[in-house]
Amino acid sequence: MKHFSLLAALAALAACGGRPPSGMVAVHDGWARETTAGVIVSAGYGRIENGTGQDVRMTGADTPVAGRVEIHNVTDDDGVMRMRPLPEGIDIPAGETVELRPGSYHLMLLDLNRPLRGGERIPVTFRFGTGAPVTASFEVRNAAQAAQGGGQ
Amino acid sequence: MTGPVRRGLKRGLLVSAALIAAGGIGWAVYRPEAPVDPAASYAAAVGGPFTLTDVNGRPFGNDQLRGKPFAIFFGFTRCPDVCPTTLSRMAQLRARLGSDADTLNIVFVSVDPESDTPAQIGRYLTLFDTPIIGLTGTPAQIAATARAYAVYYQRVPLEGGGYTMDHTATVFLMGRAGEFVTTLDAHESEGPSLDKLRRLVRG
Ligand SMILES: [Cu+2]
């Protein structure tokens, strides 16, 4: 099963070039922020495309580098930023894509067991309730790369 | 009215509210009947003396910023989203200033003295690959500094046992004498932000 989801994720990544994958959930352009010694939180981003004909809910995620992963959202209330967990997860309607991006939905990687270095890749497994999990390879980006590619 | 102008106006009102509620921790929403010029209320409300601690554990006061314009931002190091987004954006904007880059100081003030020791802030700021003045302090020193900048912050316990900090994420641009000039809007594109910084460092 694990192998299958990894293969599915790799197939999905290969399909990122433009052809919409169909019949499965795919995670595109996953990335996480670089950290340094003593910094034990990071954030993960990417696009989750629901290519199935049914609504799904992303209910959680895991990565071997973090003690736990939470799904968070950030709201901007007249300049006051509030970050909150979404314990129920995020609904992704059939055929739609939800974007995790800075200042919005993100994966909160907590209790990192080692620093994340720019340029390395980490596996992140997304869970969808009772559905098949999807593992994606996240690129760790340094601040400059994050500002270029992942900013607003 | 366009979005940013409305936002600015609303912020202006909130700043007036902060002034009126000065000393209080709460964030009262006060809406005066008469229209308020947001720039004027910021100019009156934002900035002033503070005493904090730098990343080497030495006292750092507002006087040490005199002579150079600065961009000041409040946040915390266990903030993996808003704070790094803002700090890396500041680093990128400073790089775009080219030969004027050295004319601008970037200042990061922690609103989380519980976790943010001087050493912790020092480590965190190495991630941004540009000189940033990192400051922390006692809870009272941080509260006084935030009040001077009309910055709201609040520790919010989370179910899992941890906590997060709600905080104003506005970047305040301050002149050579520590006077308020303008703010950077997190939602504006690089062009308008860069124009503001150019005017700041050349002004
Ligand atoms: Cu978060």
Side-chain angles (χ1 to χ4, degrees):
Chain A
M1 198 62 206
K2 219 165 184 161
H3 280 287
F4 173 77
S5 59
L6 186 58
L7 285 174
L10 289 173
L13 284 171
C16 274
R19 286 198 329 274
S22 60
M24 59 189 183
V25 178
V27 177
H28 307 278
D29 305 324
W31 65 279
R33 287 186 194 281
E34 183 179 44
T35 66
T36 187
V39 176
I40 55 162
V41 295
S42 180
Y45 308 96
R47 287 178 296 116
I48 310 168
E49 180 179 12
N50 180 3
T52 72
Q54 285 161 13
D55 298 350
V56 298
R57 176 179 288 183
M58 198 257 284
T59 50
D62 293 296
T63 175
V65 298
R68 69 201 159 91
V69 177
E70 292 178 355
I71 304 166
H72 280 192
N73 192 22
V74 171
T75 56
D76 178 351
D77 183 4
D78 274 308
V80 175
M81 298 294 186
R82 303 177 198 276
M83 182 172 76
R84 293 290 182 277
L86 298 175
E88 307 293 314
I90 301 174
D91 284 323
I92 311 172
E96 297 203 3
T97 298
V98 165
E99 191 179 4
L100 312 186
R101 60 185 163 80
S104 177
Y105 292 139
H106 58 271
L107 295 182
M108 184 86 166
L109 314 183
L110 294 148
D111 301 330
L112 294 176
N113 47 41
R114 62 173 179 80
L116 306 182
R117 298 293 179 204
E120 72 164 314
R121 302 196 77 98
I122 55 169
V124 177
T125 300
F126 290 77
R127 286 181 273 110
F128 299 91
T130 55
V134 174
T135 298
S137 172
F138 272 39
E139 178 191 27
V140 176
R141 295 186 186 166
N142 66 28
Q145 292 166 328
Q148 300 272 332
Q152 290 87 0
Chain B
M1 239 182 200
T2 59
V5 173
R6 277 187 74 92
R7 294 185 64 78
L9 188 58
K10 275 180 104 175
R11 272 187 203 165
L13 294 176
L14 285 170
V15 170
S16 331
L19 263 183
I20 284 154
I25 286 175
W27 190 247
V29 177
Y30 171 71
R31 293 179 190 282
E33 296 304 314
V36 174
D37 173 4
S41 18
Y42 263 131
V46 173
F50 62 78
T51 306
L52 292 163
T53 303
D54 70 14
V55 296
N56 299 310
R58 285 192 287 262
F60 191 101
N62 58 295
D63 282 349
Q64 283 160 270
L65 292 170
R66 278 183 186 272
K68 268 191 193 184
F70 61 98
I72 185 166
F73 170 75
F74 293 70
F76 63 114
T77 72
R78 294 167 62 108
C79 164
D81 183 72
V82 172
C83 304
T85 300
T86 304
L87 291 171
S88 49
R89 187 162 170 258
M90 288 309 305
Q92 193 178 27
L93 285 167
R94 170 147 72 187
R96 296 266 194 278
L97 288 176
S99 56
D100 287 330
D102 290 342
T103 316
L104 176 76
N105 275 323
I106 300 174
V107 183
F108 173 78
V109 180
S110 172
V111 293
D112 182 18
E114 186 177 323
S115 297
D116 288 344
T117 59
Q120 175 67 9
I121 294 175
R123 284 191 293 264
Y124 181 72
L125 293 179
T126 61
L127 289 169
F128 304 99
D129 226 14
T130 193
I132 298 175
I133 298 170
L135 301 173
T136 185
T138 65
Q141 288 172 327
I142 288 171
T145 309
R147 203 151 51 228
Y149 282 85
V151 161
Y152 168 87
Y153 66 101
Q154 178 71 52
R155 184 185 193 278
V156 180
L158 297 178
E159 256 175 53
Y163 67 95
T164 185
M165 303 292 303
D166 290 354
H167 64 98
T168 302
T170 305
V171 175
F172 300 96
L173 301 185
M174 312 296 290
R176 284 178 172 72
E179 78 284 11
F180 171 79
V181 176
T182 188
T183 61
L184 292 186
D185 188 321
H187 305 280
E188 76 195 357
S189 55
E190 188 180 271
S193 292
L194 197 53
D195 287 344
K196 288 178 188 174
L197 283 176
R198 287 213 174 97
R199 280 198 297 275
L200 181 75
V201 296
R202 288 172 189 173

